[in-house]
Every structure is written in structure tokens, then in C-alpha cells.
């Protein structure tokens, strides 16, 4: 299976995957290093990441990447040694440019590699010179600030590697062991068969395949370094904690790498080392210094082998075969000694343990003297350590200081501080995880079905008891009568059988209830575990923000400190992916609009460095994310003036807006507080994207500001998209679910409170008119048979429209496991997903946003019927309102009197802008407008009305002195229903048009 996966990827694909991982590590740690240049943990991580990138680039033959990564590694090593310090922004900039270059190189298409490097050689050399200057503590010459951007971008193609297609590599690129395997010493760990002694053509091909040899060399280098360092540390400090799991894994990986390229000597050596560590682990034994030397001799073979050219490793191993065999034999004797010592120790009496151990002797197998093979072992510049000459196979007779694999009591603090081995990781693609989650949800639903079934059996038990009582009363009533023996026997048997059934039923019901509770508990635990597996730490989605803000601050000449709180907060992976773009826009706005320049901050009594804080936490069953800064904030009055200037509301209405209402304007499309448009901000798209994302997942977005103190954005999102809290309602006899986060309010409306305007029903709530429609009509369902005087109504809205949906009844709140619809259905109108009820019945989840759009469409086409017949009275008592817009006082008065004499309620506006403001703040059934007016013409007013989602259904009559055909066509094209001349005042033309459009008053 692994080979099949590997066949789908080129070596360049594997390099890209490794580069993505290590570049992320480099970016994250280099930013931490900027504030703490001497941090040993970050320097260690940076060195290892650069080392891994160097090895990966060497495998695919990217020499430039090898050089850059190698110089970066040297730089981090020098910083670890204290000879240099990465303590200036210019030095960090150089390292970041190097990281960016490595990331770009990893994305070059294989067909473009040969052309890309010659074109960009000068930029690469400039970067190498800069890194070298850092290593040598020389003055940096950074050249043009944009020099890094001059690297040819057109040859870079963004390559996306989907998680489900990531291959399982036979060997790791990394020097760190990230996927620990738990070895069970009771199971034979030699799974693969012995290697064939006769070399096949396939084996010869493997041994001459440079890519496979490079993979082998990289793996051996990484694991032998770990073995060597661990054993040397143990020799120098016998109390050093010995991580046997890590040592076993390293030897095992070397053995596997040797098998791939068919190097028998490496396999034998690695197997002997692995067996010894497994024996230490199994028997909880220990090593003395001479035994450590023997193991180091074996590791030195692997270390020295790294200096041999790839194609010469096979011949070098053949020359060293005798020496390797000796070392393998010595290591094997340690293994045998550990096993023998354990057996002897187990059989001995406790008081004689010490004597038993010191008396154990092993008879060495005849073999050549170590000195006989000295020439072979040192043939290549003494690559094999002289420590190999020491066999150290017998336990010394005198007391010897033993190195224990178990931590000493005095070393508990060091052990507690030592990081634990990383958790094992299994890759599961998103589709499989979704299926598992669906099955876990179904299991939860099925388990809940048992309790209602048990409740029904309770009724049966009750009926059984009543039957027994009736039989008892029957027998009592017949006691005075003379019955034959046969009848008495039947009656007694019936009573006895009924009593037996009652007891059996009672026992089985108790067992069923116990099983139902256990099943529900197990299903709930299973479901919660599956939900947890779909979560990721918040830090996984925000790692790139620190780098983004640093670069942007340097570009703007600002100083900023970025803080992330709640990195370990668990977030649904789907929500985490959706958060990237919204948070990017908020953070960029915070830096560009909020944080002041250092001089301005100092003048305001603040520190020169601003702070942007990103916080994530679970609160009240929701995911709460807050982005805050300590900048200048937003002045409410300036925002109010901006809103009026853009013509979004009138000055009178703007003065009445509260601060939260003012802040809501920030999230409208096209709205921006920036005075000029730049590539960073001012286009009015950032916060609109945030609002769209929050609404998409059913969340809430709020903004608060304190002038001169800062600004905060608060996102309240569901913890998971897999489970939603819903309100169940009944529509036309069927259950439907409305997500609670998309419901504004639920109310009970009396029929008497429903009014009609412009042939549309509405009711008033908190001094606001809410349009009323029946849910069954929008969903195209049959009408319910029952007409209610008290209507259950759900109030829903989008950015521009708000409606009350009348349903049959409320069924209560439910947590539902979201199940996506079959993709073959496409987009189902007004439905977003499905779920199962506790009894297994399916229920459809309403797509509220789509439902509002459908309602708008039906209202525009006048296809909705009234809720009930009782509204006719309200219709007859409600006067229809007409808005007259004209800059001529004479015309306004003539039109007003004509309409009021017919019973219409009339409101006037003195120009187009005044009329537009009146339309957005009031309710009108008809608009009558002039054409030529100041501030906004009649044509522009009609165009605004017809382009507004909430106002476009209002009919409009244009009345003008101009009677030219082109003027008439222009007016009708923008959406006017009638185009009349002002001569219509002298006949019934205007009044007839009004009645035709909205009916009589």
C-alpha cells in the first residue's frame, strides 16, 4: 500500500511536503527569536528545521536551496554557541527573506527549475552574502528594501497538496522523530524476512538509484546523530534520563532504511543495536560504561558511513564487513548477557542477588582478535572509533557504577521537565472523518430511541397490572356464585398467568432501562470523541499572522507586538479554515487604521510599540474570538459624519443612531473609514468579508471602540459545524429545523394585530413593521387545514430584509447532527442540510438566507396569499401611503390635494435625496416623482429604489413636463411603472394610474 502511495508522487512532490512543514516551523520560531534572541528552544527548532530542509533539498538536487539552508543552519548553530546574536530587525529580515526563498523554490514546477536558477542567481548570491555577513558579525548591506521581491514570480505556481493524498514515506526527511512507535518487546520485532543472499536485478537497481540512496543516507544521518548524542550524554552523566522508546525507534528506522537499499551489513548492525535496547526496555536493565562504548562503536560505523559517496557505500561496507561482524557479535553478547542476567536474577534468592550478578561469566565465541582487523576498521582515515576495540561483554567482578534506564529519584525534577514523547499520529482524510462522524451521530440517535421504547413498555406493564386486578375482582365477584371445577381452574390459571407475565415484564423492563442508559452513555462518549477528533488547536490556524503583521509594520514604519491567547483552544477544523481570511482583514485593519506611528503614540502618552491581541476561548457553549488593539480607535462622531457623507442615512436619522448601530455600518459592502485607497486598505471589502463568513457559519459579529484607547472585534461562533442547536417547528404537518443562530426572535401574533399595506401583511413589534408571510407558501407545501387566531411566528432577516414566518406550531429546541444532502441533488432551494430525530425520523434544516431571498422574490411577484381572512377588516381600515417627490411647491400641493381627496395618506419630499431618505425610514405604498430635481434626479431616485432589495417592489409613477418619447423610454427603462405628464392633473389619468397600481384608498 505504501508503494502504491509513493508511486503517485515524484521526489519533488515529497520535497514540497517537507518544505511546507519546515518553512512553517522556521517562520513561527524566527518571529519568537526576534523578541528573545537567546532563546535556546527556538534556536534548536530553527537549526533542526534548516537541517531537515538541507537534507531534503540535497535529495532532489536543488543546490541553491541546499546552500541557503546550510548557511541558515550554520547561522543558528553560531547563535546557539553565543558567537553571534540575531538581535536586530535587519538580521531577522535577512532570515525571513531566506525562508521565503526556500518556500518559493519548493513551489517551482519541475519543468522550470533549470531556467529559474540562472535568472535569479544574483538575488540568491546576494542573500547568501547577507547570511554570511551575519555569521561573520559583519555590516549588513541589504540593498533595496524590495530586492527580495525581484525574484521572478511568474515561474512560481501555487501547488496545493490535499491532506488525503499525502503519502506515507518509508523514511523520514526530518532529524527529529515525530511519529513514535510503541514497541512491544513480547512480540517478535523482526517482521521482514531475511534478505536474499543472491543479488537480483531489482536489488542492483535499488543500490544504484541515487534518489533512494539519498533517502537512505538522510535517514541514517538523522537517526545516527540521535543515537550518538544520547549515548554520549549517558556516558558523561550516568543519571541522564534514557529515552529507550526513542532509541529503539531510531535503530528500527535505520534497519528499515538499510532493507530498502539492500545493505545487509547496515541491517545486521542496526538489528543488533535495536535488540539490545529492546532487551533493556523489556527487562528494565541497565548499561555500564564499557557496554555504552561497545554500542557507540556500532553507531560510529553509521556516522562514518555518511562521509562516503552514495555510490561507494556498498563497496565500503564490503571492506568493513569483518569489523562490522565483530562489533555485531560484541553487541549481541550484551543482549545475551542482559537476558541471562535477568533469568538468573529472577531465579535467585533476594539476599543473594548481588553475588549472583557479579559471578555471571560468558564464554566468548572464537573470533579474530580485534587487533587483527585494525587495518580494515581504520582503512578510511580512522572512520571507525577506537572504542570498537573494547568488547566489554562481561560484568566486572568489582562493584561497577551501573547506568540505569530508569530515572533516579534525585533526578525527578529533570525528568518532569523533559518533554514527553509526541503522540502517535494517524492520517485520516476529511471524507472518512465525516463518515465516521455521521455514523457516530446515527449511533447517538439510535441509542436515544431505546428510552421511548422503554417508556412504551411501562404503559404495557401498567395495563398488565390492571388486567391482573380485573381478573382478581372477577374472581371475587364470582365467589358467591356456584362455579364448576373447570371454570374455577381456568380463572385461577388466568390470574396466575397474568401475575407471571407482570413479573417477567417488570424484570425485562428493568434490564432494558439499564441497557438504554448504558447504550446512551456509550454512544454519547463515542460521539464526543469523534467530535474531539475533528478539532484542531487554534494555534494551527494563526501561525502565519505574526509574520504578516511584522512585515506590514516594517512597511508602515510602525512598531507592534502581536499576542495570541488561547493557542490550545480547540476549534472545529472547518471553522478554523474559514477564519483565515476574516482574521487577516481584521488584523490588517487594526495595524493600518488603529495602531499609530511611534511618534504619535509617544505624544499621546503611550509606548512607542503598539499591541494587537488575538484571543480565543470557549464561553457559554460558543467559540469566542476577540481581536483588540491599543490604537486610536474610532471617533463615533467622525463615523456618523462619514455615514451621512456617503448618503447612507439622513443627518437627522444619523443623530439618533446608537454607538452599536453606528459600528454596524463598518460591515457594509463598500464602506471604509480610510481617507485614501492603498494596497493595504481603503477598498471597503475587508470587514464585509468578515461579516459574510460569520453569517455563513451562524455566528455573531460585534465591534466596540474607545477613542484613543483602541478597538475590539468580537466574533461569537459555534463550537462545531457538525452539531447545531435548532428550533423545531411544524409546517404543513412536517417537522423543520431552524438554526437558532439565524433566528432573530420568536413571537405569538394575534390575527387582530396583522395589518395590510401595499397589499402586503405586516405586524408591528417594538415600533418596527415586520412583513408577515406563511412558511408553507415559501416552501411550496400544502396549506394547513387549521386557521389559527394566535400565530406562531419566527422572525428572520438578512442585511436588508426582515420577515416574520408564520408556522403551524413550535416543537422545541433540539441539538441535531448535521448530515449533508446527497450532492447529486445539487442546491435544494431553502434547505441547507438534513438530520435525524431521536425516533429516527428525518428532518430538514432550513437555509435561512436562501429562505429570505425566496420570500423577496415571491413578494416582488405578488404570489403570496394572505395568512387568513380576518385581515380584510385591517385592510379596509388602513390608509395607503403615497410619497410625493417634487421640488416645485405648487406641483407638490396639487398632487397632495388630489390624492388626499381620494382618501390616500400623503407625505411630501422637496428633492430626490429627501425622498430617498424618507423611503428608507418609512413605509410607502407608492412613489410619485418629478424628473428634474436638485441633489438627486427622479431618474436616479427610481434607479435607487429598483436596485434596493427591500424597496424595489414599491411602484413608482414619474410625472414630468417633458413629453418626449426618449424621456418616456428612459423613465420606464430604469423601472418606473407609469410615465405621465403634468397635464394629467386636469383629468383622471393620474388617479387611474394610482388605483391601478395600489388600489383604492
Amino acid at each position: 500500500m505504501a508503494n502504491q502511495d509513493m508511486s503517485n508522487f515524484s521526489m519533488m512532490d515529497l520535497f514540497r511536503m517537507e518544505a511546507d512543514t519546515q518553512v512553517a516551523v522556521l517562520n513561527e520560531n524566527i518571529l519568537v527569536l526576534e523578541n528573545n534572541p537567546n532563546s535556546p528552544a527556538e534556536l534548536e527548532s530553527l537549526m533542526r528545521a534548516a537541517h531537515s530542509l538541507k537534507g531534503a533539498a540535497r535529495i532532489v538536487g536543488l543546490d541553491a536551496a541546499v546552500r541557503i539552508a546550510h548557511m541558515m543552519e550554520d547561522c543558528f548553530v553560531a547563535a546557539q554557541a553565543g558567537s553571534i546574536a540575531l538581535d536586530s530587525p535587519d538580521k531577522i529580515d535577512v532570515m525571513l527573506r531566506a525562508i521565503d526563498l526556500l518556500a518559493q523554490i519548493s513551489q517551482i514546477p519541475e519543468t522550470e527549475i533549470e531556467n529559474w536558477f540562472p535568472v535569479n542567481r544574483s538575488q540568491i548570491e546576494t542573500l547568501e552574502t547577507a547570511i554570511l555577513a551575519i555569521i561573520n558579525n559583519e555590516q549588513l548591506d541589504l540593498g533595496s528594501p524590495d530586492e527580495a521581491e525581484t525574484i521572478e514570480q511568474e515561474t512560481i505556481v501555487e501547488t496545493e497538496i490535499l491532506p488525503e493524498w499525502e503519502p506515507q514515506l518509508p523514511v523520514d526527511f526530518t532529524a527529529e522523530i515525530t511519529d513514535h512507535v510503541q514497541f512491544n518487546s513480547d512480540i517478535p520485532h523482526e517482521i521482514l524476512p531475511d534478505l536474499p543472499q543472491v543479488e537480483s536485478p531489482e536489488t542492483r537497481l535499488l543500490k544504484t538509484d541515487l534518489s533512494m540512496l539519498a533517502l537512505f543516507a538522510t535517514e541514517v544521518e538523522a537517526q545516527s546523530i540521535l543515537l550518538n548524542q544520547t549515548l554520549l550524554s549517558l556516558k558523561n552523566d550516568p543519571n541522564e534520563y534514557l529515552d529507550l522508546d526513542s532509541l529503539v525507534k531510531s535503530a528500527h528506522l535505520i534497519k528499515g532504511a538499510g532493507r530498502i537499499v539492500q545493505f545487509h551489513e547496515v541491517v545486521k548492525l542496526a538489528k543488533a543495536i535495536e535488540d539490545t535496547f529492546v532487551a533493556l526496555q523489556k527487562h528494565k536493565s541497565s548499561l555500564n560504561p564499557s557496554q555504552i562504548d561497545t554500542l557507540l562503536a556500532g553507531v560510529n560505523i553509521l556516522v562514518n558511513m555518511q562521509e562516503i559517496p552514495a555510490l561507494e557505500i556498498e563497496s565500503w561496507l564490503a571492506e568493513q564487513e569483518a569489523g562490522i561482524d565483530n562489533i555485531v557479535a560484541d553487541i549481541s553478547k550484551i543482549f545475551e548477557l542482559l537476558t541471562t542476567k535477568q533469568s538468573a536474577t529472577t531465579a535467585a534468592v533476594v539476599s543473594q542477588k548481588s553475588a549472583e550478578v557479579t559471578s555471571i561469566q560468558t564464554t566468548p565465541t572464537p573470533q579474530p582478535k580485534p587487533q587483527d582487523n585494525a587495518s580494515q576498521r581504520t582503512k578510511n582515515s580512522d572512520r571507525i572509533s577506537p572504542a570498537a576495540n573494547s568488547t566489554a561483554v562481561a560484568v566486572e567482578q568489582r562493584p561497577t557504577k551501573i547506568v540505569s534506564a530508569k530515572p533516579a529519584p534525585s533526578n525527578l525534577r529533570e525528568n518532569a521537565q523533559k518533554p514527553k514523547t509526541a503522540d502517535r499520529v494517524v492520517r485520516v482524510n476529511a471524507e472518512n472523518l465525516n463518515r465516521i462522524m455521521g455514523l457516530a451521530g446515527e449511533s447517538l440517535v439510535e441509542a436515544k430511541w431505546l428510552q421511548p421504547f422503554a417508556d412504551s413498555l411501562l404503559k404495557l406493564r401498567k395495563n398488565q397490572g390492571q388486567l391482573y386486578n380485573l381478573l382478581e375482582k372477577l374472581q371475587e365477584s364470582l365467589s358467591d356464585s356456584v362455579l364448576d371445577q373447570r371454570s374455577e381452574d381456568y380463572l385461577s390459571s388466568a390470574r396466575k398467568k397474568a401475575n407471571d407475565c407482570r413479573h417477567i415484564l417488570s424484570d425485562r423492563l428493568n434490564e432494558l432501562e439499564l441497557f438504554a442508559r448504558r447504550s446512551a452513555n456509550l454512544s454519547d462518549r463515542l460521539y464526543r470523541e469523534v467530535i474531539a477528533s475533528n478539532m484542531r488547536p487554534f494555534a494551527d490556524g494563526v501561525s502565519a499572522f505574526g509574520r504578516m503583521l511584522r512585515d506590514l509594520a516594517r512597511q508602515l514604519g510602525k512598531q507592534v507586538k502581536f499576542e495570541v491567547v488561547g493557542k490550545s483552544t480547540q476549534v472545529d477544523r472547518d471553522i478554523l479554515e474559514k477564519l483565515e481570511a476574516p482574521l487577516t482583514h481584521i488584523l490588517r485593519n487594526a495595524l493600518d487604521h488603529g495602531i499609530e506611528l511611534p511618534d504619535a503614540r509617544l505624544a499621546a502618552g503611550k509606548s512607542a510599540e503598539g499591541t494587537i491581541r488575538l484571543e480565543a476561548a470557549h464561553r457559554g457553549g460558543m467559540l469566542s474570538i476577540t481581536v483588540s488593539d491599543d490604537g486610536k480607535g474610532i471617533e463615533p462622531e467622525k463615523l456618523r459624519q462619514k455615514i451621512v457623507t456617503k448618503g447612507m442615512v439622513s443627518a437627522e436619522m444619523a443623530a439618533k443612531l446608537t454607538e452599536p448601530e453606528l459600528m454596524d455600518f463598518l460591515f457594509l459592502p463598500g464602506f471604509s473609514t480610510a481617507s485614501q485607497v492603498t494596497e493595504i486598505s481603503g477598498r471597503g471589502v475587508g470587514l464585509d468579508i468578515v461579516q459574510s463568513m460569520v453569517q455563513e457559519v451562524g455566528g455573531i459579529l460585534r465591534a466596540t471602540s474607545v477613542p484613543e484607547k483602541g478597538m475590539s472585534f468580537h466574533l461569537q461562533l459555534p463550537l462545531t459545524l457538525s452539531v447545531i442547536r435548532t428550533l423545531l417547528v411544524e409546517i404543513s404537518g412536517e417537522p423543520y429545523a431552524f438554526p437558532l443562530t439565524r433566528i432573530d426572535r420568536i413571537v405569538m401574533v394575534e390575527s387582530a394585530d396583522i395589518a395590510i399595506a401595499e397589499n402586503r401583511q405586516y405586524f408591528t413589534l417594538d415600533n418596527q413593521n415586520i412583513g408577515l408571510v406563511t412558511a408553507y407558501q415559501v416552501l411550496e407545501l400544502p396549506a394547513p387545514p387549521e386557521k389559527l387566531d394566535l400565530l406562531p411566528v419566527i422572525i428572520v432577516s438578512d442585511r436588508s430584509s426582515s420577515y416574520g414566518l408564520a408556522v403551524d406550531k413550535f416543537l422545541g429546541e433540539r441539538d441535531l447532527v448535521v448530515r449533508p444532502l446527497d450532492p447529486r441533488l445539487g442546491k435544494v432551494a431553502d434547505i441547507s442540510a438534513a438530520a435525524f430525530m431521536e425516533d429516527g425520523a428525518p428532518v430538514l434544516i432550513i437555509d435561512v438566507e436562501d429562505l429570505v431571498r425566496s420570500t423577496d422574490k415571491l413578494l416582488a411577484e405578488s404570489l403570496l396569499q394572505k395568512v387568513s381572512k380576518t385581515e380584510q377588516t385591517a385592510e379596509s381600515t388602513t390608509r395607503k401611503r403615497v410619497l410625493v417627490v417634487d421640488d416645485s411647491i405648487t406641483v407638490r400641493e396639487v398632487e397632495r390635494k388630489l390624492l388626499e381627496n381620494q382618501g390616500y395618506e400623503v407625505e411630501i419630499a422637496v428633492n430626490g435625496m429627501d425622498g430617498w431618505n424618507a423611503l428608507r425610514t418609512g413605509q410607502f405604498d407608492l412613489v410619485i416623482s418629478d424628473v428634474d430635481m436638485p441633489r438627486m434626479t427622479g431618474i436616479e431616485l427610481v434607479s435607487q429604489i429598483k436596485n434596493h432589495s427591500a424597496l424595489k417592489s414599491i411602484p413608482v409613477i414619474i410625472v414630468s413636463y417633458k413629453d418626449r418619447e426618449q424621456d418616456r423610454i428612459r423613465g420606464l427603462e430604469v423601472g418606473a411603472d407609469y410615465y405621465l405628464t403634468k397635464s394629467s392633473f386636469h383629468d383622471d389619468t393620474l388617479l387611474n394610474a394610482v388605483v391601478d397600481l395600489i388600489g383604492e384608498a
Side-chain angles (χ1 to χ4, degrees):
M1 191 68 178
N3 291 336
Q4 183 179 355
D5 290 339
M6 287 289 292
S7 66
N8 296 327
F9 296 90
S10 66
M11 295 303 296
M12 194 66 188
D13 291 332
L14 301 180
F15 169 69
R16 289 191 184 103
M17 297 175 194
E18 179 67 12
D20 288 344
T21 301
Q22 303 306 334
V23 164
V25 174
L26 289 169
N27 266 316
E28 180 180 359
N29 287 280
I30 198 71
L31 294 177
V32 177
L33 201 66
E34 185 171 21
N35 298 320
N36 187 7
N38 299 318
S39 175
E42 276 67 34
L43 285 171
E44 179 70 15
S45 297
L46 289 166
M47 184 273 292
R48 289 184 177 276
H51 179 79
S52 297
L53 267 175
K54 178 183 70 175
R58 183 182 293 124
I59 290 173
V60 292
L62 297 177
D63 294 336
V66 173
R67 294 197 308 272
I68 294 292
H70 184 65
M71 296 182 73
M72 291 176 66
E73 180 185 6
D74 290 345
C75 188
F76 297 136
V77 170
Q80 283 180 306
S83 56
I84 65 169
L86 300 174
D87 53 0
S88 72
D90 288 341
K91 293 179 181 178
I92 297 297
D93 278 343
V94 171
M95 303 310 293
L96 287 172
R97 284 165 56 183
I99 295 170
D100 291 342
L101 177 62
L102 291 172
Q104 290 178 5
I105 291 175
S106 70
Q107 302 303 327
I108 303 172
E110 294 183 55
T111 56
E112 300 289 339
I113 289 177
E114 291 185 5
N115 299 327
W116 191 90
F117 284 106
V119 173
N120 297 282
R121 179 177 290 111
S122 61
Q123 287 84 0
I124 296 172
E125 291 174 351
T126 300
L127 189 56
E128 291 175 345
T129 302
I131 299 176
L132 191 60
I134 295 175
I135 296 175
N136 296 330
N137 278 317
E138 297 174 353
Q139 184 68 31
L140 281 175
D141 181 13
L142 297 179
S144 170
D146 299 326
E147 186 175 338
E149 303 299 327
T150 61
I151 297 178
E152 295 293 332
Q153 297 292 338
E154 62 270 14
T155 59
I156 305 300
V157 177
E158 188 69 22
T159 303
E160 183 178 5
I161 305 297
L162 297 178
E164 54 265 38
W165 291 103
E166 292 185 13
Q168 303 296 323
L169 302 180
V171 290
D172 291 341
F173 280 129
T174 58
E176 285 279 78
I177 300 174
T178 58
D179 201 7
H180 294 270
V181 177
Q182 300 298 326
F183 288 88
N184 187 342
S185 54
D186 295 328
I187 301 174
H189 52 275
E190 185 61 26
I191 300 174
L192 297 175
D194 291 335
L195 296 172
Q197 298 301 318
V198 179
E199 191 174 66
S200 65
E202 291 78 14
T203 301
R204 168 50 49 192
L205 184 61
L206 278 174
K207 290 185 176 182
T208 56
D209 186 340
L210 281 175
S211 63
M212 295 307 298
L213 289 174
L215 280 171
F216 163 78
T218 302
E219 185 67 19
V220 172
E221 178 184 7
Q223 306 308 330
S224 60
I225 288 174
L226 180 64
L227 290 171
N228 194 52
Q229 290 178 347
T230 304
L231 289 172
L232 285 174
S233 298
L234 187 63
K235 183 176 180 181
N236 296 330
D237 182 7
N239 292 324
E240 176 81 8
Y241 172 80
L242 186 60
D243 187 357
L244 286 172
D245 284 338
S246 178
L247 294 173
V248 171
K249 177 64 181 294
S250 293
H252 184 79
L253 289 175
I254 294 173
K255 182 179 70 175
R259 285 190 183 282
I260 292 173
V261 291
Q262 302 289 288
F263 288 158
H264 310 314
E265 294 80 10
V266 173
V267 173
K268 286 190 296 184
L269 181 58
K271 182 178 181 301
I273 296 173
E274 180 187 7
D275 289 345
T276 302
F277 290 137
V278 169
L280 283 170
Q281 193 176 43
K282 179 178 181 179
H283 303 303
K284 296 182 175 55
S285 192
S286 53
L287 294 171
N288 60 37
S290 62
Q291 292 170 335
I292 294 175
D293 286 340
T294 301
L295 290 171
L296 280 171
V299 174
N300 285 339
I301 291 281
L302 303 173
V303 172
N304 294 332
M305 185 176 62
Q306 297 165 23
E307 300 176 19
I308 307 302
L311 293 176
E312 297 177 16
I313 292 178
E314 182 184 6
S315 59
W316 183 84
L317 287 172
E319 294 173 358
Q320 305 297 324
E321 184 176 2
I324 293 174
D325 288 342
N326 287 338
I327 294 175
V328 168
D330 294 343
I331 296 174
S332 298
K333 289 182 180 180
I334 299 176
F335 170 77
E336 295 169 3
L337 182 63
L338 292 171
T339 306
T340 306
K341 183 174 70 172
Q342 178 66 23
S343 302
T345 303
T346 304
V349 182
V350 175
S351 60
Q352 297 178 347
K353 279 185 179 180
S354 178
E356 295 271 349
V357 171
T358 56
S359 63
I360 295 175
Q361 297 291 333
T362 59
T363 305
T365 305
Q367 55 182 300
K369 293 181 181 181
Q371 290 78 7
D372 295 339
N373 296 310
S375 60
Q376 292 182 348
R377 279 189 252 176
T378 58
K379 187 172 183 178
N380 277 286
S381 302
D382 296 323
R383 291 189 179 100
I384 301 179
S385 171
N389 295 332
S390 174
T391 57
V393 296
V395 178
E396 300 177 11
Q397 298 294 331
R398 61 182 185 276
T400 304
K401 187 172 187 180
I402 301 299
V403 180
S404 176
K406 297 169 64 176
S410 61
N411 205 27
L412 289 178
R413 177 173 300 178
E414 290 82 350
N415 296 333
Q417 294 175 351
K418 187 174 182 70
K420 295 183 178 179
T421 302
D423 294 336
R424 296 179 62 190
V425 176
V426 177
R427 285 177 178 153
V428 180
N429 64 42
E431 185 179 349
N432 287 340
L433 191 58
N434 288 336
R435 281 199 295 266
I436 294 172
M437 188 169 298
L439 292 173
E442 289 182 19
S443 172
L444 187 63
V445 169
E446 292 296 330
K448 290 183 177 179
W449 178 85
L450 288 172
Q451 191 57 48
F453 181 73
D455 294 341
S456 66
L457 291 184
L458 280 174
K459 297 179 180 179
L460 177 60
R461 185 176 67 175
K462 182 179 178 181
N463 292 337
Q464 191 76 30
Q466 292 174 348
L467 174 62
Y468 178 78
N469 292 335
L470 288 173
L471 288 173
E472 193 173 46
K473 289 179 180 179
L474 177 61
Q475 189 172 26
E476 290 175 358
S477 65
L478 295 176
S479 60
D480 297 335
S481 303
V482 179
L483 297 175
D484 56 50
Q485 187 62 37
R486 186 177 180 183
S487 298
E488 287 186 1
D489 291 344
Y490 280 145
L491 188 57
S492 298
S493 297
R495 282 190 61 198
K496 184 176 182 302
K497 184 63 68 176
N499 189 46
D500 291 343
C501 289
R502 184 177 64 173
H503 286 299
I504 293 173
L505 182 60
S506 180
D507 292 340
R508 295 297 177 268
L509 182 58
N510 290 336
E511 293 174 2
L512 178 61
E513 288 179 336
L514 179 61
F515 175 75
R517 286 195 298 271
R518 289 177 176 173
S519 178
N521 179 265
L522 179 61
S523 299
D524 183 66
R525 285 163 49 204
L526 171 63
Y527 180 70
R528 291 180 184 278
E529 286 295 328
V530 174
I531 289 292
S533 70
N534 200 41
M535 299 289 192
R536 291 168 55 194
F538 183 62
D540 287 0
V542 301
S543 58
F545 292 148
R547 169 71 186 280
M548 177 194 73
L549 288 176
R550 180 198 177 276
D551 292 346
L552 192 57
R554 296 268 288 170
Q555 180 181 342
L556 297 174
K558 298 181 178 182
Q559 298 177 18
V560 65
K561 177 173 67 174
F562 180 52
E563 298 178 351
V564 181
V565 179
K567 291 183 178 181
S568 60
T569 301
Q570 295 296 305
V571 183
D572 184 282
R573 60 179 171 84
D574 296 326
I575 290 181
L576 196 60
E577 290 172 0
K578 294 177 183 292
L579 275 173
E580 181 179 0
L583 290 181
T584 297
H585 286 291
I586 294 178
L587 291 169
R588 288 169 67 91
N589 278 349
L591 182 56
D592 189 29
H593 295 298
I595 301 297
E596 310 96 328
L597 290 168
D599 292 342
R601 290 182 62 85
L602 291 173
K606 303 179 181 180
S607 64
E609 183 181 58
T611 300
I612 297 178
R613 182 185 179 94
L614 176 59
E615 181 178 0
H618 292 170
R619 294 191 180 98
M622 300 285 282
L623 172 64
S624 175
I625 296 177
T626 302
V627 183
S628 59
D629 64 74
D630 63 349
K632 60 187 177 183
I634 291 181
E635 290 282 353
E637 292 308 315
K638 290 184 179 179
L639 179 59
R640 200 185 309 271
Q641 185 61 39
K642 189 84 172 181
I643 295 169
V644 174
T645 303
K646 285 181 171 287
M648 307 184 82
V649 297
S650 65
E652 180 182 356
M653 186 174 185
K656 299 177 181 178
L657 293 175
T658 64
E659 185 171 331
E661 289 172 337
L662 283 173
M663 292 299 171
D664 286 342
F665 280 88
L666 296 173
F667 306 117
L668 294 178
F671 187 87
S672 175
T673 58
S675 57
Q676 59 182 358
V677 177
T678 67
E679 59 183 38
I680 297 174
S681 63
R683 294 164 292 169
V685 296
L687 295 181
D688 175 33
I689 291 176
V690 181
Q691 177 80 319
S692 300
M693 176 268 168
V694 171
Q695 286 190 343
E696 180 185 349
V697 301
I700 300 171
L701 174 63
R702 292 183 297 109
T704 58
S705 176
V706 179
E708 303 305 325
K709 297 293 184 182
M711 185 151 186
S712 299
F713 291 89
H714 307 275
L715 289 76
Q716 192 172 356
L717 309 171
L719 285 179
T720 175
L721 297 181
S722 305
V723 181
I724 60 172
R725 187 74 173 167
T726 63
L727 173 68
L728 284 184
V729 301
E730 185 177 299
I731 304 174
S732 297
E734 294 290 338
Y736 287 86
F738 283 76
L740 280 183
T741 55
R742 300 310 309 274
I743 296 176
D744 296 344
R745 197 166 173 180
I746 59 173
V747 293
M748 300 297 291
V749 179
E750 295 185 5
S751 297
D753 295 332
I754 302 174
I756 289 186
E758 197 187 325
N759 207 27
R760 297 181 185 179
Q761 295 174 316
Y762 69 92
F763 63 95
T764 303
L765 182 66
D766 296 335
N767 297 322
Q768 182 181 3
N769 293 334
I770 307 294
L772 181 64
V773 296
T774 51
Y776 77 85
Q777 291 186 71
V778 181
L779 296 174
E780 301 180 4
L781 299 173
E786 185 179 359
K787 297 289 184 181
L788 303 174
D789 291 330
L790 194 62
L791 296 174
V793 175
I794 300 174
I795 300 176
V796 296
S797 63
D798 60 10
R799 291 186 179 180
S800 56
S801 305
S802 179
Y803 296 110
L805 294 172
V807 299
D808 299 350
K809 66 174 68 171
F810 298 137
L811 301 178
E813 295 184 14
R814 297 286 192 282
D815 285 323
L816 296 180
V817 180
V818 178
R819 301 297 304 275
L821 300 174
D822 193 309
R824 290 173 294 182
L825 297 175
K827 175 65 178 82
V828 179
D830 309 321
I831 303 298
S832 63
F836 288 103
M837 306 271 281
E838 284 92 344
D839 59 358
V843 59
L844 294 176
I845 301 173
I846 297 294
D847 184 341
V848 173
E849 202 165 326
D850 199 17
L851 191 72
V852 172
R853 285 194 294 266
S854 298
T855 304
D856 281 335
K857 181 179 179 182
L858 292 173
L859 285 173
E861 297 173 358
S862 301
L863 297 177
L864 291 179
Q865 302 174 4
K866 298 179 180 63
V867 173
S868 65
K869 297 180 180 180
T870 58
E871 289 95 28
Q872 295 299 324
T873 304
E875 180 182 2
S876 61
T877 59
T878 304
R879 296 178 65 192
K880 294 176 181 176
R881 302 186 70 214
V882 179
L883 176 65
V884 174
V885 187
D886 202 301
D887 60 331
S888 169
I889 186 171
T890 304
V891 174
R892 290 199 304 267
E893 285 303 309
V894 169
E895 292 178 349
R896 183 178 65 79
K897 289 181 179 180
L898 277 174
L899 294 168
E900 286 182 345
N901 289 338
Q902 298 300 318
Y904 296 102
E905 182 180 343
V906 180
E907 184 171 330
I908 60 175
V910 299
N911 55 53
M913 182 59 69
D914 191 28
W916 175 238
N917 292 333
L919 276 168
R920 289 185 292 172
T921 57
Q923 296 286 338
F924 296 95
D925 302 303
L926 175 68
V927 176
I928 300 177
S929 175
D930 188 14
V931 173
D932 297 320
M933 295 180 291
R935 298 188 66 190
M936 181 184 287
T937 68
I939 299 297
E940 292 173 341
L941 176 61
V942 176
S943 179
Q944 291 277 14
I945 293 172
K946 295 305 178 181
N947 288 326
H948 194 284
S949 59
L951 303 177
K952 61 185 179 182
S953 58
I954 298 177
V956 180
I957 298 176
I958 290 180
V959 180
S960 174
Y961 282 119
K962 298 180 179 179
D963 196 18
R964 294 179 302 178
E965 185 64 24
Q966 57 266 35
D967 294 326
R968 180 185 302 274
I969 293 174
R970 185 182 173 203
L972 295 176
E973 281 180 346
V974 296
D977 297 274
Y978 278 90
Y979 188 99
L980 305 176
T981 62
K982 292 187 177 179
S983 60
S984 61
F985 298 159
H986 305 296
D987 55 33
D988 294 333
T989 305
L990 175 62
L991 293 177
N992 290 337
V994 172
V995 172
D996 182 48
L997 290 173
I998 62 174
E1000 295 181 354

